[in-house]
Amino acid sequence: MTPCFFGTSERQLFGMHHPAQGAERATGVVLCHPAAQEYMLTHWAFRKLAGMLAREGFHVFRFDYYGTGDSAGEVHEGRVATWVQDIRHAANELQDVTGVQRVALVGLRLGAALAVRAALEGLSTAALVLWEPLVRGEAWLQELELLQARRATRTLFPQPESPLEVREELLGFAFPRALRDDILALDLAALPAWPATRTHLVAGAPRPEYQRLQERLEATGLPFQHHLVPEEGAGGQESALLSNRILQTITTLLKEAA
Amino acid sequence: MRERICTFGPEQSLVGILTEPDPAKVLPEAPTVVLSNVGLNHHVGPYRLWVELARQLAGRGVTTLRFDLSGLGDSRPRREGGSDEFQRAREETRAALDYLEQKKGQKRFALIGLCSGVDSAHAVTVADERVVAAAFIDGYTYRTLGYHLRFHLRYLSPRRWTRFLRKRKLPARLREAGEADEVYTREYPERSQLTQDYQHLLERGVSLCFVFSGGMGLSFNHERQFYEMLSPLKLEGRVTYAFYPRADHLFSVPEDRAELLRKLTAWAVGTVPPRALTG
């Protein structure tokens, strides 16, 4: 593992390159984290996935978006457009450092939606792997609000009385109105176009929104596969922490695509 | 402010981020603050706590290193070093101090630990004279007579009853989620040993800061308990101390976190010897 800062000095981003082991493949992989508390919960799974892919000969790059992790910026400065741009910078960094010709993107939850946007906005990709993707932003925000309500029931600590929109936070992370509006505008199944690359949807359990996305993509005629990888004990936001079969599936899919 | 990545320690396996103030803002003789993992969280800290602390401290002229112990976060597991995690954590914390001394010429350090991170921070503070300041957040607690009396009085709390009744009205799915309280297991030193350690640190002139949250409710439930449990030392006025009963263990509410950051920053800046500030 080789840590680095990349990007501009005012907006430096933290990245971690996992060099390919053994015979190098011409395709590299950029991993796109989810956001907020899901980022914290899945950091370990991403490191594990990066190691698995590197052992299969991929150069892998994982990184923190602006305002997250070790990257510059504050949590409340997070915006979807900025994070999409960060994915492009990360892909460029990986190509500059390793010389890989093509880059595949793997995104989890919000990271999956950001990866699709990056590919749509001109980032040439060898493959897209959408891991438990956020399909509709509104549904994701509702899910986070439900988790916040659940947290309130399991604690004796007094909860703030003002509504979440006023407090502009969710599960301990700043969620300003601008970011909320960005996320509300996300709907993968309603995008007017889709990146012309093979797309894999990988999930531990079926969900109506995955079906909606599948139908939409099948209608476009673009290459698309939906992989259901049930995993005992996994589910919801904790799934990545416990995942193993999903990580193996993603690795296999990328090996086949490269 | 400038942030740099560093790798150091046994087998060069440890990864950290060094946050340094602008040269014009450097506070002379300020100890360099060293932070490592809180549970399984990587060096960013729970809710990005350590990143925010490091950047606030840099704004006040203080340097910080946040790093991952081997096998956690971005640090590789060590091939050697044994299976005793506590022993490795102590060795690696000292390796961080060695690195900062050799590469940056730092000689004075402040360690900050949260929850299980207190264990190695405490042990290294006691053993290593380069540590001139230490902050322990939700560190060691001991139930006192006052604690037991207050514990039973909690049944008179309207807040607790309101919560109980509210919870009964919730759908089963949410109720079940509420039952799964988290359990942390740590080995505490004997109280007599801890008292001796603190006595030794105070004699050495180490600046100590203790913070407790309401998340320690199963063993700590009143502001006075801290002084009660270490009563032979008469710690009032000799250490920095704060109890935030409304905050949970990881200070997950942004306002609580902001208050914790203010407290830690003020304490860290206050550890600078007066002569450095006047000079």
Side-chain angles (χ1 to χ4, degrees):
Chain A
M1 293 192 287
T2 312
C4 65
F5 279 122
F6 65 104
T8 63
S9 56
E10 295 79 29
R11 294 175 65 87
Q12 69 176 9
L13 303 176
F14 176 81
M16 183 68 77
H17 171 216
H18 294 250
Q21 294 169 25
E24 293 181 20
R25 293 175 190 265
T27 299
V29 182
V30 170
L31 305 183
C32 306
H33 279 288
Q37 97 290 0
E38 291 178 350
Y39 163 83
M40 302 307 300
L41 287 169
T42 56
H43 185 270
W44 179 252
F46 268 61
R47 173 178 160 173
K48 194 169 154 189
L49 176 61
M52 289 165 77
L53 289 166
R55 283 192 290 279
E56 294 295 341
F58 290 100
H59 281 288
V60 186
F61 198 71
R62 57 188 170 89
F63 72 102
D64 295 331
Y65 307 111
Y66 185 75
T68 75
D70 288 309
S71 289
E74 295 192 40
V75 179
H76 65 82
E77 294 179 293
R79 294 297 302 269
V80 163
T82 314
W83 291 345
V84 169
Q85 200 176 28
D86 293 343
I87 294 175
R88 299 176 64 165
H89 287 150
N92 290 339
E93 181 72 14
L94 178 62
Q95 288 184 303
D96 286 350
V97 169
T98 65
V100 290
Q101 294 155 17
R102 307 184 73 202
V103 168
L105 301 180
V106 178
L108 172 60
R109 306 279 278 168
L110 177 64
L114 300 175
V116 172
R117 281 274 303 266
L120 261 181
E121 292 173 19
L123 176 62
S124 174
T125 50
L128 279 174
V129 178
L130 313 183
W131 175 10
E132 311 258 357
L134 170 160
V135 177
R136 201 164 60 91
E138 188 179 7
W140 184 63
L141 287 176
Q142 284 167 355
E143 198 177 322
L144 297 189
E145 285 164 8
L146 181 71
L147 286 168
Q148 179 114 4
R150 181 191 289 184
R151 175 185 282 186
T153 67
R154 61 192 293 183
T155 177
L156 266 177
F157 301 104
Q159 297 298 301
E161 290 186 358
S162 52
L164 289 171
E165 306 87 77
V166 175
R167 298 206 319 263
E168 299 199 335
E169 63 127 331
L170 270 174
L171 296 166
F173 284 87
F175 249 91
R177 178 161 290 280
L179 178 61
R180 206 179 174 85
D181 290 345
D182 285 353
I183 289 167
L184 284 171
L186 290 172
D187 188 348
L188 296 188
L191 285 171
W194 191 263
T197 187
R198 178 164 290 281
T199 303
H200 299 277
L201 192 161
V202 185
R207 294 175 75 147
E209 65 257 38
Y210 299 157
Q211 187 61 32
R212 198 168 139 250
L213 182 62
Q214 181 166 351
E215 285 163 13
R216 164 81 177 85
L217 282 169
E218 281 170 355
T220 65
L222 289 165
F224 173 79
Q225 287 177 306
H226 184 169
H227 309 267
L228 197 60
V229 190
E231 198 141 25
E232 199 176 336
Q237 62 166 354
E238 286 86 16
S239 63
L241 268 182
L242 303 168
S243 57
N244 191 36
R245 287 188 61 205
I246 282 186
L247 302 187
Q248 285 169 350
T249 302
I250 293 171
T251 306
T252 304
L253 291 172
L254 288 172
K255 272 166 62 183
E256 287 167 2
Chain B
M1 181 194 78
R2 181 176 177 188
E3 294 199 304
R4 277 187 285 188
I5 294 161
C6 43
T7 52
F8 59 92
E11 305 170 30
Q12 287 293 302
S13 64
L14 308 176
V15 173
I17 309 284
L18 188 66
T19 308
E20 294 174 290
D22 292 334
K25 280 192 177 172
V26 170
L27 203 49
E29 294 188 50
T32 296
V33 173
V34 175
L35 309 160
S36 65
N37 308 83
V38 177
L40 293 177
N41 287 277
H42 71 301
H43 61 263
V44 159
Y47 302 95
R48 218 182 180 215
L49 181 65
W50 288 165
V51 174
E52 291 186 20
L53 177 61
R55 292 177 184 176
Q56 281 195 17
L57 287 173
R60 301 291 298 273
V62 179
T63 297
T64 301
L65 172 69
R66 57 180 185 274
F67 77 101
D68 285 311
L69 299 167
S70 59
L72 293 175
D74 291 325
S75 292
R76 281 186 288 111
R78 281 165 59 186
R79 291 183 184 85
E80 293 174 6
S83 60
D84 184 339
E85 279 180 38
F86 181 44
Q87 170 68 18
R88 285 208 314 272
R90 281 180 293 173
E91 279 173 19
E92 292 168 7
T93 303
R94 294 186 79 156
L97 309 191
D98 294 343
Y99 168 81
L100 290 163
E101 185 169 12
Q102 286 156 19
K103 295 283 180 185
K104 307 295 297 178
Q106 308 284 357
K107 295 190 185 306
R108 293 160 47 84
F109 300 98
L111 300 183
I112 301 180
L114 197 166
C115 187
S116 56
V118 167
D119 301 355
S120 52
H122 172 86
V124 174
T125 302
V126 171
D128 195 319
E129 299 217 347
R130 293 174 295 178
V131 182
V132 298
F136 305 126
I137 308 163
D138 278 356
Y140 301 124
T141 53
Y142 300 92
R143 291 175 184 169
T144 58
L145 176 62
Y147 168 86
H148 288 290
L149 290 171
R150 289 184 292 270
F151 186 76
H152 292 290
L153 285 174
R154 80 197 194 285
Y155 290 114
L156 300 177
S157 156
R159 184 153 60 87
R160 184 171 287 270
W161 281 104
T162 307
R163 173 183 174 263
F164 175 73
L165 294 170
R166 199 177 61 209
K167 202 169 156 184
R168 295 269 299 194
K169 286 186 193 163
L170 284 169
R173 191 161 58 96
L174 287 184
R175 269 208 311 274
E176 283 162 20
E179 299 303 327
D181 284 335
E182 292 167 27
V183 177
Y184 298 94
T185 309
R186 287 168 55 196
E187 276 186 37
Y188 281 23
E190 291 291 327
R191 198 192 312 198
S192 56
Q193 178 61 52
L194 191 73
T195 308
Q196 206 176 314
D197 286 351
Y198 290 157
Q199 176 69 36
H200 164 67
L201 293 176
L202 289 169
E203 284 166 7
R204 215 173 82 197
V206 176
S207 167
L208 294 173
C209 174
F210 299 88
V211 176
F212 294 97
S213 75
M216 295 295 277
L218 287 176
S219 60
F220 194 92
N221 63 7
H222 194 270
E223 185 150 24
R224 289 293 312 167
Q225 186 176 338
F226 172 69
Y227 296 121
E228 284 169 9
M229 68 187 196
L230 297 160
S231 54
L233 291 176
K234 300 198 182 340
L235 287 175
E236 290 93 330
R238 302 172 73 195
V239 299
T240 301
Y241 165 60
F243 177 44
Y244 299 116
R246 294 169 65 94
D248 60 42
H249 186 50
L250 295 179
F251 291 79
S252 69
V253 175
E255 286 170 17
D256 296 336
R257 211 153 59 237
E259 182 53 41
L260 174 67
L261 289 171
R262 272 194 291 274
K263 171 64 72 178
L264 292 175
T265 303
W267 164 77
V269 172
T271 59
V272 179
R275 66 180 181 282
L277 291 170
T278 53

